[in-house]
Amino acid sequence: GLLDSEKVESGLEELEMKAMPLHASSPGHSVFGEYVGAHWCGPCMSSASPSLNNLKVSNPDDFTYVSFFQGSGTGWPSDSIGSSGSRRDHVMAASSGYPTFSFADEQSGSCYKVGAGGSNYYDSDFSAGGCMSPSSSDFSMELSTTLDSSGETVTTDLSVTYLGSLPTVSVYVYAAVTEHSGAENYDDGYKPHHVWRSWLLNNNGNGFEQLILSPNNPSELSWDKPLSTVRAAGGHTQYENFWPVIALMDGPH
């Protein structure tokens, strides 16, 4: 029988509520951007680079970008495109410092960001459309990479299809090989992503490949690059870290 009862103190403790990560909503189309940052830059390592990586992780199919990153050992990349000069200088043309991020090749307005704060700094502009052209949904791209039997050369194949109604349309293919995880860290140990390593250019090697497209007729491009273009990092092998980033532009630079 129950002879007595005593008050039992609850062993439950009120737990501190953990901040859940914020995930940006997709604008319903692909968004492309370019980032410039340096290993010593405080806002780059504390905000800009983590914000870009968080946005990519939460929207893997609708967001991609390229990082022009000054490593502590290798310095700034040699990213010139023929007579067009350095792409980094192009992105920085309207900037006063690092970090600088440009959605859709913009150099003014809300989609051109100088400085950064927080871990989701670019989310709202991404969700608002990322300044992409209204006609961006008129194009489809399929990308694949293969490693040859020697393990020394990576072939990148690209198929571009125009889905619109114009008889023909001209586009330029911005194509870069990046390291999915950068081989050099920021000074606080954070690792940048999509770090630029090499261009995939036209046959003359002096500019972006131009395509004249007609509706529903795929155009094919292919490039060969040494696997050594990238470095193993972040738990990825060299081939896993070989990360092409492709965008279509309406001009050669």
Side-chain angles (χ1 to χ4, degrees):
L2 178 63
L3 301 178
D4 196 5
S5 65
E6 61 182 12
K7 185 178 180 181
V8 178
E9 295 293 335
S10 171
L12 300 177
E13 296 180 4
E14 185 174 350
L15 300 178
E16 181 179 353
M17 182 175 291
K18 294 183 179 180
M20 299 300 291
L22 301 176
H23 298 305
S25 59
S26 170
H29 58 75
S30 297
V31 173
F32 166 72
E34 294 168 282
Y35 161 75
V36 182
H39 67 92
W40 47 264
C41 165
C44 299
M45 65 183 85
S46 66
S47 173
S49 198
S51 292
L52 290 170
N53 188 48
N54 291 342
L55 185 55
K56 176 63 179 176
V57 169
S58 62
N59 287 271
D61 296 328
D62 288 338
F63 179 61
T64 194
Y65 65 101
V66 172
S67 297
F68 298 101
F69 177 70
Q70 183 192 33
S72 59
T74 58
W76 289 111
S78 300
D79 63 338
S80 293
I81 309 171
S83 61
S84 298
S86 166
R87 185 70 190 178
R88 172 171 60 89
D89 290 343
H90 172 81
V91 176
M92 292 292 295
S95 175
S96 57
Y98 312 120
T100 293
F101 182 78
S102 171
F103 282 103
D105 203 24
E106 291 287 323
Q107 291 195 321
S108 63
S110 65
C111 284
Y112 190 68
K113 301 291 191 183
V114 180
S119 61
N120 300 89
Y121 186 67
Y122 306 105
D123 286 16
S124 60
D125 294 292
F126 165 80
S127 297
C131 288
M132 297 293 284
S133 167
S135 64
S136 61
S137 59
D138 289 345
F139 300 88
S140 172
M141 292 192 289
E142 294 183 5
L143 172 68
S144 67
T145 60
T146 54
L147 183 62
D148 73 349
S149 58
S150 71
E152 296 180 354
T153 301
V154 179
T155 299
T156 300
D157 292 310
L158 176 69
S159 177
V160 182
T161 305
Y162 174 56
L163 308 174
S165 58
L166 295 175
T168 61
V169 62
S170 172
V171 297
Y172 291 83
V173 181
Y174 176 116
V177 175
T178 74
E179 289 174 338
H180 178 52
S181 294
E184 295 179 89
N185 297 340
Y186 289 94
D187 288 354
D188 69 347
Y190 189 82
K191 187 173 291 298
H193 294 81
H194 294 206
V195 175
W196 184 92
R197 295 293 290 169
S198 181
W199 294 115
L200 301 174
L201 298 175
N202 57 23
N203 289 334
N204 295 324
N206 61 359
F208 295 145
E209 185 72 58
Q210 182 182 16
L211 297 177
I212 306 299
L213 304 174
S214 58
N216 302 310
N217 291 313
S219 287
E220 314 288 341
L221 293 174
S222 184
W223 300 272
D224 289 333
K225 279 286 182 180
L227 179 60
S228 58
T229 302
V230 303
R231 300 158 290 184
H236 303 295
T237 65
Q238 275 185 290
Y239 183 51
E240 291 170 336
N241 221 26
F242 193 100
W243 199 263
V245 175
I246 313 290
L248 298 182
M249 306 183 76
D250 61 1
H253 193 40

